Amino acid sequence: MAITFHYEAGSLQTDNRSGCNLLQLAQEAGVHIEARCGGQGTCGSCMVVLGTGRYRVCGEIIEVPPRQRREALACQSFVLGAEAEIHLLQRSLISTESARISESFQLPLFDRQPRFTTGCGVAVDIGTTTVVAVLVRLDSGEILSCQSMYNQQILKADDVISRISLCSEPAGLKTLQRLVIDHTLNPLISQLCADGAVEPHEIVHLCVAGNTVMLHIFYALSPVSIGVLPFTPLQRCFESTAEKLGIAINPSALIEAVPAVSGYIGGDITADMQLSGLANRRGCALLVDIGTNGEIAFWDGSRITACAAAAGPAFEGAGIMCGTRAVSGAIDAIDFDRSLDFKLSVIGESEPIGLCGSAVIDFIAAGFRCGLISMTGRFDIGMLRTSGRYTSVNGAHACVIHRTHDSAKTAAIVVTERDIAEILKAKAAIYSGIKTLLAESSRTVHDLEVVILAGGFASYINLDNAFELGLLPALGTDRYEVIGNGSLAGAIALLLNRQLADDYRLLIDRPYVIHLNRTAKFTEYYQEAVVIPNLCPE
Ligand code: FES
């Protein structure tokens, strides 16, 4: 029995095996479909288009007649007939992508004093959701290539808390470590080497930055103590060699990390603080690193306080029905009025494949302005139906953003009410984290002279829409500074200047860390912020 998988670059055939769903069959055939919930049928990332054939989908037998199509989750679909044609959506395929990475970070000005003066280095930002890697020539500091992909640990669990619980078994820790190294970093390195015309053994130094849980798992250290009171990490500074960690570069290469502040304040925020000169600012300054594990630091002129606000992966396009990373074909901005005539900006000006987090923020803000979306994130169904934009996806009301005529390549791109709820929860976590941190220092957002935004996502966000949504304090764009992916820039800086290792070590002892879930105010602020824009007074 032959199953044919069609994708943009061609097609390949495999035999059906009873008991195997389409996700497993595709993976065995060498086609890598996103499966962020690990095949539990909850994330929507493995969507495929079923062509002619007989199937069992979510326990129901369905027949797709000739020339018809039907969307289904690969992890919940089994082929029953002799043959089947499966069309793979580009947004559902795991890929590496170099688009826009080099625009999303700023390198600090510093004297170059690399620890190694010949060969190449790799800097890596290990995010909970996305991993970004850059190949650098150590003698000149030249950036040769950049690549990114989803952290393949999302196959097992979306957020740091669930990953910590997986690590309560040594086998779980090992699995997660291999997912980030063998299935994420090593493929990225091989792509970097191909693009930069460099042999892997020429890479003699690798610097990583990331949150503390990601760093522990990367170095095969148990993060379990970070999950329980008093949230203490095993280590804050990390070092090893490529051989010990199984990284496919020169075996004796040094693998160094930007050190972490505490269990939930990672090396990414250390890099952001250093890069932005947070503690050298004259007045009150707030640093917000918008990511899955949102980290926030506040400088009041004499002291740094910091906290982490678990936002989840929605801003990075994960956990959103038609979400994607900021790659070619991703819709990165949307504007519209009551006519629901959507004006889309698409990266690479190609056929749209999905929505970045920045576009979903635009969509919700514009929808709220024109009355399409209520303050609790519900659609005006009448308005959707009148404009022909209404659809329903797995029982959730949804708005069709884009439809192509060739459904074999790209299915309709939609935003569901569930997607809106995910973004509202994410923005509420960030906003209430900011409010709580300021309140702990007896300050309000009006005391802020500057807000520094870090994280790859921050580079593309429309600030006015973020204000409208209540994600960030509405202080006017002139009080905002965007440094982009400070974590990646901090790792590159460490490759090129060994002095920074000492500076980072001094910096990690400075912040006073606040645990949001132990402050009464946080829950109160969170509940007020989970609507549009939010109910808490600034
Ligand atoms: Fe199929 Fe998540 S992997 S829905």
Side-chain angles (χ1 to χ4, degrees):
M1 293 208 297
I3 298 175
T4 311
F5 289 105
H6 298 279
Y7 51 103
E8 203 160 75
S11 61
L12 64 89
Q13 282 201 332
T14 185
D15 288 334
N16 194 10
R17 286 207 289 114
S18 68
C20 286
N21 61 40
L22 281 175
L23 178 65
Q24 293 161 326
L25 290 172
Q27 279 168 345
E28 282 172 20
V31 181
H32 299 293
I33 297 179
E34 296 271 8
R36 289 176 218 138
C37 68
Q40 292 174 40
T42 54
C43 70
S45 68
C46 66
M47 189 72 80
V48 295
V49 178
L50 308 178
T52 316
R54 202 159 166 265
Y55 307 87
R56 181 158 51 83
V57 180
C58 297
E60 194 188 322
I61 310 286
I62 63 157
E63 192 98 37
V64 180
R67 288 185 297 284
Q68 295 220 358
R69 308 250 189 263
R70 180 180 162 147
E71 284 181 27
L73 297 174
C75 68
Q76 304 299 312
S77 306
F78 298 81
V79 175
L80 301 177
E83 289 183 344
E85 304 276 329
I86 312 298
H87 302 272
L88 302 174
L89 304 175
Q90 212 184 325
R91 69 164 184 265
S92 301
L93 294 174
I94 294 171
S95 64
T96 61
E97 171 81 54
S98 59
R100 298 175 59 162
I101 299 166
S102 50
E103 305 160 23
S104 69
F105 62 86
Q106 295 171 5
L107 271 182
L109 291 174
F110 53 81
D111 294 333
R112 272 192 297 105
Q113 295 175 314
R115 194 186 287 257
F116 302 95
T117 48
T118 56
C120 290
V122 169
V124 190
D125 167 32
I126 309 179
T128 312
T129 305
T130 308
V131 176
V132 188
V134 169
L135 180 66
V136 183
R137 193 169 288 291
L138 292 172
D139 57 358
S140 64
E142 184 192 356
I143 290 180
L144 299 175
S145 52
C146 315
Q147 288 288 334
S148 78
M149 70 189 285
Y150 277 137
N151 182 340
Q152 294 304 295
Q153 291 174 345
I154 56 179
L155 297 178
K156 295 288 172 197
D158 262 359
D159 56 76
V160 290
I161 304 294
S162 352
R163 291 190 204 165
I164 290 173
S165 63
L166 283 174
C167 291
S168 51
E169 299 288 331
L173 171 60
K174 188 84 196 154
T175 302
L176 290 179
Q177 191 212 20
R178 293 337 303 167
L179 280 170
V180 71
I181 293 180
D182 298 346
H183 297 273
T184 311
L185 182 58
N186 283 344
L188 283 174
I189 288 173
S190 107
Q191 195 59 48
L192 286 176
C193 288
D195 293 350
V198 161
E199 291 298 323
H201 70 82
E202 292 177 64
I203 301 171
V204 295
H205 194 187
L206 187 142
C207 290
V208 296
N211 68 57
T212 318
V213 174
M214 290 306 105
L215 292 178
H216 273 65
I217 296 172
F218 185 79
Y219 283 91
L221 296 164
S222 171
V224 167
S225 62
I226 301 173
V228 289
L229 272 168
F231 315 116
T232 314
L234 282 185
Q235 287 177 211
R236 297 194 300 160
C237 301
F238 308 82
E239 222 176 81
S240 189
T241 64
E243 188 170 26
K244 283 192 191 136
L245 297 182
I247 300 172
I249 54 177
N250 191 311
S252 57
L254 174 67
I255 314 296
E256 199 178 9
V258 178
V261 173
S262 72
Y264 286 105
I265 311 293
D268 39 7
I269 202 96
T270 309
D272 292 336
M273 287 192 295
Q274 173 73 25
L275 180 63
S276 64
L278 181 72
N280 301 324
R281 302 280 176 152
R282 281 255 178 94
C284 289
L286 185 76
L287 167 67
V288 188
D289 190 321
I290 309 175
T292 308
N293 190 47
E295 286 154 303
I296 307 163
F298 172 58
W299 167 249
D300 67 359
S302 60
R303 163 179 104 135
I304 306 172
T305 46
C307 68
F315 290 140
E316 292 169 70
I320 298 285
M321 172 63 68
C322 294
T324 181
R325 291 178 301 126
V327 296
S328 186
I331 300 170
D332 64 346
I334 300 182
D335 195 20
F336 60 95
D337 57 21
R338 284 187 69 82
S339 64
L340 305 197
D341 182 11
F342 298 125
K343 292 174 193 63
L344 309 179
S345 150
V346 182
I347 301 173
E349 292 174 15
S350 53
E351 180 64 27
I353 59 163
L355 294 153
C356 296
S358 57
V360 187
I361 286 177
D362 289 350
F363 174 80
I364 302 173
F368 181 65
R369 272 196 297 274
C370 75
L372 174 68
I373 297 172
S374 71
M375 67 184 295
T376 54
R378 299 286 172 179
F379 282 124
D380 179 329
I381 305 296
M383 196 191 274
L384 277 183
R385 286 198 197 279
T386 313
S387 60
R389 296 277 182 185
Y390 179 80
T391 191
S392 155
V393 182
N394 300 333
H397 298 307
C399 172
V400 177
I401 305 289
H402 179 80
R403 224 181 236 123
T404 57
H405 298 299
D406 183 1
S407 64
K409 275 190 183 163
T410 313
I413 295 172
V414 302
V415 176
T416 69
E417 282 186 347
R418 281 194 203 120
D419 295 337
I420 298 174
E422 287 303 313
I423 292 283
L424 293 189
K425 282 192 274 176
K427 75 100 182 174
I430 300 285
Y431 195 85
S432 45
I434 293 172
K435 288 268 305 176
T436 311
L437 196 59
L438 293 174
E440 289 290 313
S441 296
S442 307
R443 304 294 175 123
T444 74
V445 295
H446 299 292
D447 294 315
L448 295 173
E449 284 185 18
V450 64
V451 181
I452 302 154
L453 292 185
F457 168 74
S459 306
Y460 306 109
I461 196 171
N462 176 317
L463 280 177
D464 289 321
N465 285 341
F467 299 158
E468 178 109 39
L469 199 63
L471 162 63
L472 294 168
L475 294 171
T477 51
D478 56 337
R479 278 206 243 172
Y480 277 77
E481 263 177 41
V482 178
I483 61 168
N485 191 339
S487 180
L488 185 63
I492 297 173
L494 185 57
L495 280 178
L496 298 177
N497 188 348
R498 62 172 183 267
Q499 298 297 333
L500 268 178
D502 294 336
D503 295 348
Y504 286 148
R505 281 205 179 97
L506 289 175
L507 194 53
I508 62 174
D509 287 330
R510 295 189 61 182
Y512 174 74
V513 177
I514 289 164
H515 295 288
L516 291 179
N517 51 7
R518 294 168 78 190
T519 62
K521 285 193 189 83
F522 177 69
T523 317
E524 189 188 314
Y525 291 149
Y526 180 88
Q527 281 159 358
E528 290 172 345
V530 85
V531 294
I532 313 167
N534 58 52
L535 300 175
C536 28
E538 298 206 320

